[in-house]
Amino acid sequence: MSIMQSQAIVLILLCVTCAEAHNNPSMLTLQEGKGEINRNTISLSSDWDVLGPFQIGTREATWGADPLEYLGGFRTLEYEEDAAYYSSLAPNGTVGWSRQSVESLKSDLKGCDATLTIEFSHINWTFLQSIYGWAVLQCQAWARGFITIDGDESQSVILFTDSLLEFWVDNKSYFGGDFYSYRRAPVILHLDPGIHRIDLRLVRDDRAMGGVGAPKIQIRLDVQRSDGVLAVIEDQLLVPDMIGEKLASHLASIPVRNEGQEWIDIWSIESVDDSFNTVLLEDAPCRLAPGQSRPLAFILSLQSLKTLRLLLRVTYAPAGSSHLVLSPIISCTFSPLSVHEPHKLTFLHPGGIVSYAILRAPSPKVAHEVPKSGALPILLNLHGAGLEAESQQVRHMLDPVPDLRAWVLFPTGVTPWSADDWHTWGFADIQAAVKVIADWTKAVAWEGPAVDVNRWLVSGHSNGGQGTWYALTHWPDKIIAGVPVSGYSSIQAYVPFHLWNEADPRVTSTLHTSLTNYRHELLLDNSAGIPILQQHGSADDNVPVLHSRRLNQLIAQTGYPSEYIEMPGEGHWFNGIMTTLSLREFYTKILSSNEMEQKLPQRFSMVIANPGDMGSRGGIVVDQLEDPDQLGRITVERSTTSTTWKVTTSNIHRWHFSPQEHSRDRPQSMDIDTSTMALPSDNERAEESWFVKLEDGSWMVRSRIEMPEDETDVSRSRVMVAGDPLSSDMVVS
């Protein structure tokens, strides 16, 4: 054995010894000079001083609305047993301080974990709710406690703040706590020995915490010891499933967190053996600020089947340093699935993060019955609030209907709360997931029917039911049918906004105008003619059945009644809720139809709240409103004897035809308000034409090339478009 080999073995043994010491910290402290290792202990208060409750409106907390700011803020107040503070919720119009104990408190050398449940039993919530409904159960309060660091040395700690929006530590503000308890981006604190005051703003939200019974606010503080280096979060590793001997997709991510006080450069993520190959998705180095958490995206490819265990480590260095450091190894083990089982595939969300969806390909029976030249639509199933798409509940929700003539897709919507309720960010996740199915067919060498990415049967439960309404009203040309189950009609109708702080009407009008895009009750004309089946339990105390009854009434007023099933005595959820007999028959009827393309009514309308957030209706895409603060409308009457459309507009400035949707129904000429015009005979030229309203109220056709640059730049005002500028198309060797 050479000297260099001997030195290498000694170095490896030293590294192993250090790693074991690092992973198994001593449980002892210095006593009587015996030399044991001293580790600071971390503790949280067992009793907390609470002040409240105070009124707050639905989702108002992010805008402030803290009445104690009139007094300089809670941070300036000290506990006074007899002090009184004005509150509209309490008897005599005042509230005072109270002392409440934690529900649970756990402490060890790793840190301290406390759960605090706050109740205000002296408030007559039953009476208030009988007048103001769920809106009044939303309230806010403050609580004060302490974090104690024992010992003689400063300590870096990781602070998880489940169900908190805002807090202060030693009079320093931290806004943006973990209100929905994702536990993805905790706060890193560097605390000196001693007692540190922490003030918590407690906000109760009916949607997150429930609307049944007396309101409670439950929060969890978890303070964990940190080593002050880069943390790689193994239990949040996101990888695709393995299908047979292939990966379902080639994107993965792992959250990393800089727990130190200096910037860190990440240079690579590497597979420990040659069974897998990994490459960072972005150019190295990836720089992390002190305290920053972020997902690290990378390309993952399978090189051999020697092992199904993926071993990864991250290479990083202090910013500007050439001294590279290797993270501890993280791992996961693949369990190969059949190509027909529900499985996870990953893709790039337009926001730049790696997301995932659960895909179920057509069954062997369907693949045998449908010719390879055929293309099947997608059955989208949108999950409810608080659920992960990869959970057993969601992944196997449609197992009782295995032979549907469709590709079944369970999107995640980025988060268990589907980002923003399946709206802008959540819907972009759906679009990106749909787009990547074609890539999947290549990755696994699929030989069955193709996928029609422009034809969707959308279904969903609870918040997913509301997301179904969003799809029906915003992207109607893509929808062949809708199945909203136990869904609410709109957030404004679910938990009303009427208890917001009073403000100038011009200010409140801005709020209500901004929410109009999600007021599905106003947009139902867009879904007229699309087959819809609603299902709701009569005893639902989470989303009251009134929502579905109201939408059923409004749909009927469009002239195209929907199917409505109310299940006597059933609540919000029960096993098999998405595969009842009625739903199975509806799925089969829609998906077995020979005519998959949506039939366009002879007369249809499109109501537009935000052009940048809407797809097409009858092939018409609205680009710009005259007044962005009012709804726009286009009504089309199609002639049965000619190819002329009569188009009537209100508050529409510019629109065009979609190149994909309803091209067969395209007119040759149109009467638009008071103007008559012929469309270009060349279909490609027609798709490149904009219809623009002039100041005198007449309309003209202008090509995109002719449009002034300042107008083309603001044509859609989209936040994002799935697939642009980041494409899911990539080659992995």
Side-chain angles (χ1 to χ4, degrees):
M1 180 181 295
S2 68
I3 295 176
M4 291 184 65
Q5 287 174 321
S6 301
Q7 291 175 335
I9 291 173
V10 172
L11 180 59
I12 291 172
L13 290 173
L14 286 172
C15 291
V16 170
T17 303
C18 292
E20 289 179 349
H22 173 78
N23 293 326
N24 299 282
S26 171
M27 299 292 288
L28 302 176
T29 58
L30 281 173
Q31 293 181 356
E32 300 177 2
K34 294 182 180 179
E36 292 88 347
I37 298 173
N38 182 24
R39 297 297 300 266
N40 296 347
T41 59
I42 303 170
S43 59
L44 286 164
S45 302
S46 58
D47 295 313
W48 292 71
D49 294 329
V50 177
L51 180 57
F54 301 98
Q55 177 181 324
I56 196 166
T58 302
R59 299 183 174 181
E60 187 182 15
T62 52
W63 302 95
D66 177 10
L68 295 181
E69 286 299 316
Y70 287 99
L71 304 176
F74 179 75
R75 59 198 172 276
T76 67
L77 305 178
E78 297 295 335
Y79 179 88
E80 294 183 53
E81 186 174 354
D82 298 324
Y85 303 86
Y86 296 113
S87 172
S88 58
L89 298 178
N92 298 316
T94 60
V95 296
W97 291 85
S98 63
R99 184 154 292 172
Q100 303 201 29
S101 299
V102 296
E103 184 175 328
S104 67
L105 185 62
K106 303 174 184 176
S107 183
D108 56 29
L109 281 180
K110 295 180 180 179
C112 190
D113 188 330
T115 300
L116 181 64
T117 301
I118 306 297
E119 297 184 70
F120 303 100
S121 56
H122 62 292
I123 308 294
N124 189 345
W125 296 110
T126 301
F127 173 75
L128 291 174
Q129 185 179 359
S130 70
I131 305 298
Y132 299 105
W134 276 349
V136 79
L137 301 185
Q138 305 205 138
C139 58
Q140 60 179 321
W142 282 88
R144 175 170 296 153
F146 300 93
I147 303 174
T148 302
I149 307 295
D150 290 330
D152 301 322
E153 298 180 356
S154 298
Q155 178 66 57
S156 296
V157 299
I158 312 160
L159 177 61
F160 291 91
T161 54
D162 297 11
S163 303
L164 282 172
L165 180 70
E166 177 184 0
F167 57 96
W168 293 67
V169 178
D170 294 335
N171 284 325
K172 181 179 179 180
S173 172
Y174 294 85
F175 186 85
D178 193 3
F179 190 76
Y180 292 103
S181 305
Y182 295 143
R183 311 200 115 219
R184 295 179 180 176
V187 174
I188 307 300
L189 302 174
H190 307 284
L191 302 177
D192 292 329
I195 299 175
H196 301 269
R197 191 174 82 176
I198 179 168
D199 293 343
L200 312 176
R201 188 184 183 191
L202 310 173
V203 178
R204 190 183 188 283
D205 179 82
D206 287 345
R207 293 195 58 210
M209 302 175 185
V212 179
K216 299 178 181 179
I217 304 175
Q218 184 176 82
I219 62 97
R220 177 187 175 195
L221 286 180
D222 184 4
V223 187
Q224 298 180 6
R225 187 184 310 279
S226 167
D227 292 323
V229 295
L230 180 75
V232 183
I233 316 304
E234 183 174 14
D235 62 358
Q236 295 182 24
L237 172 66
L238 173 60
V239 295
D241 280 335
M242 185 174 287
I243 306 302
E245 299 180 354
K246 300 176 182 293
L247 292 175
S249 52
H250 296 285
L251 285 176
S253 75
I254 180 74
V256 291
R257 183 167 61 238
N258 182 356
E259 297 179 3
Q261 301 186 57
E262 304 294 335
W263 286 75
I264 286 177
D265 287 339
I266 295 178
W267 287 97
S268 66
I269 183 167
E270 302 169 351
S271 174
V272 173
D273 60 44
D274 58 2
S275 295
F276 296 88
N277 186 49
T278 55
V279 179
L280 279 177
L281 197 58
E282 60 184 277
D283 293 335
C286 169
R287 182 159 290 189
L288 262 70
Q292 182 184 1
S293 299
R294 59 156 294 178
L296 192 65
F298 59 97
I299 301 171
L300 175 67
S301 57
L302 179 64
Q303 301 299 306
S304 73
L305 290 172
K306 290 191 303 183
T307 177
L308 296 179
R309 192 177 186 211
L310 172 65
L311 301 174
L312 297 172
R313 61 188 175 194
V314 175
T315 303
Y316 66 98
S321 171
S322 60
H323 178 66
L324 297 179
V325 182
L326 292 176
S327 73
I329 293 174
I330 63 171
S331 68
C332 75
T333 302
F334 290 96
S335 299
L337 300 171
S338 159
V339 71
H340 298 286
E341 291 182 85
H343 58 270
K344 184 191 301 182
L345 76 163
T346 54
F347 54 88
L348 203 62
H349 185 280
I353 63 171
V354 176
S355 186
Y356 79 92
I358 301 299
L359 176 68
R360 191 184 83 185
S363 70
K365 180 177 183 293
V366 172
H368 176 73
E369 294 173 347
V370 177
K372 294 181 181 180
S373 59
L376 296 178
I378 299 170
L379 194 165
L380 286 167
N381 186 275
L382 311 184
H383 64 74
L387 291 173
E388 281 285 0
E390 65 177 336
S391 68
Q392 294 300 301
Q393 178 178 333
V394 175
R395 186 188 288 244
H396 297 290
M397 193 174 289
L398 295 179
D399 280 5
V401 281
D403 296 320
L404 294 174
R405 291 195 168 207
W407 295 77
V408 179
L409 188 68
F410 303 91
T412 184
V414 180
T415 73
W417 280 78
S418 55
D420 52 351
D421 296 333
W422 297 112
H423 297 158
T424 304
W425 288 92
F427 202 84
D429 189 72
I430 295 174
Q431 293 172 305
V434 166
K435 182 178 178 181
V436 83
I437 297 176
D439 298 336
W440 174 92
T441 62
K442 300 173 186 176
V444 302
W446 171 254
E447 296 182 350
V451 57
D452 186 342
V453 297
N454 291 312
R455 297 291 172 261
W456 308 347
L457 192 168
V458 184
S459 65
H461 175 261
S462 191
N463 195 34
Q466 177 273 151
T468 302
W469 287 116
Y470 180 84
L472 283 163
T473 55
H474 287 71
W475 297 85
D477 274 351
K478 290 190 178 295
I479 315 301
I480 60 174
V483 182
V485 176
S486 305
Y488 59 92
S489 56
S490 64
I491 183 60
Q492 299 96 315
Y494 192 22
V495 185
F497 284 67
H498 58 256
L499 288 183
W500 272 53
N501 277 262
E502 296 77 9
D504 186 299
R506 290 172 296 181
V507 175
T508 57
S509 68
T510 300
L511 167 69
H512 293 296
T513 299
S514 68
L515 292 170
T516 302
N517 189 42
Y518 315 115
R519 194 73 198 240
H520 305 132
E521 299 94 329
L522 298 175
L523 308 176
L524 285 176
D525 276 348
N526 300 348
S527 65
I530 300 175
I532 298 172
L533 187 151
Q534 291 189 83
Q535 177 182 284
H536 214 126
S538 66
D540 192 335
D541 60 1
N542 189 313
V543 178
V545 70
L546 176 67
H547 288 271
S548 290
R549 292 173 181 169
R550 177 61 175 165
L551 289 170
N552 187 49
Q553 175 188 352
L554 294 176
I555 292 172
Q557 293 174 7
T558 70
Y560 293 89
S562 64
E563 296 183 54
Y564 175 69
I565 297 173
E566 188 167 311
M567 308 190 73
E570 294 290 357
H572 188 61
W573 170 264
F574 56 87
N575 289 333
I577 194 170
M578 296 303 297
T579 54
T580 60
L581 177 61
S582 299
L583 294 189
R584 293 200 304 267
E585 291 176 347
F586 186 78
Y587 298 145
T588 301
K589 179 180 70 173
I590 296 298
L591 298 173
S592 297
S593 172
N594 293 325
E595 180 58 61
M596 282 298 179
E597 184 164 351
Q598 183 192 116
K599 293 181 179 179
L600 192 62
Q602 288 301 117
R603 186 182 190 278
F604 64 91
S605 295
M606 184 178 187
V607 183
I608 304 95
N610 175 12
D613 218 16
M614 307 281 283
S616 64
R617 174 62 164 150
I620 292 175
V621 180
V622 173
D623 298 290
Q624 193 173 0
L625 301 177
E626 291 180 312
D627 182 349
D629 295 330
Q630 296 184 23
L631 292 174
R633 177 185 288 269
I634 289 184
T635 300
V636 175
E637 295 183 43
R638 303 165 61 215
S639 173
T640 57
T641 58
S642 71
T643 56
T644 298
W645 284 11
K646 181 180 180 182
V647 180
T648 306
T649 72
S650 173
N651 194 35
I652 304 295
H653 175 62
R654 185 169 75 247
W655 62 275
H656 70 276
F657 280 112
S658 165
Q660 293 92 18
E661 308 295 345
H662 289 286
S663 58
R664 293 186 307 178
D665 300 313
R666 200 71 48 84
Q668 294 181 1
S669 63
M670 292 186 298
D671 295 331
I672 309 180
D673 295 331
T674 59
S675 303
T676 298
M677 60 187 64
L679 268 67
S681 56
D682 184 341
N683 192 49
E684 184 174 336
R685 285 183 56 212
E687 292 166 358
E688 288 295 319
S689 299
W690 270 330
F691 300 90
V692 183
K693 190 174 184 180
L694 305 179
E695 291 185 2
D696 63 1
S698 63
W699 289 83
M700 71 173 296
V701 181
R702 302 183 70 173
S703 72
R704 292 174 185 261
I705 298 175
E706 297 171 339
M707 292 295 293
E709 185 176 351
D710 60 338
E711 289 194 42
T712 58
D713 286 347
V714 297
S715 63
R716 295 285 288 161
S717 65
R718 287 296 303 268
V719 175
M720 69 186 75
V721 178
D724 295 322
L726 299 170
S727 173
S728 63
D729 299 328
M730 60 180 62
V731 177
V732 181
S733 59

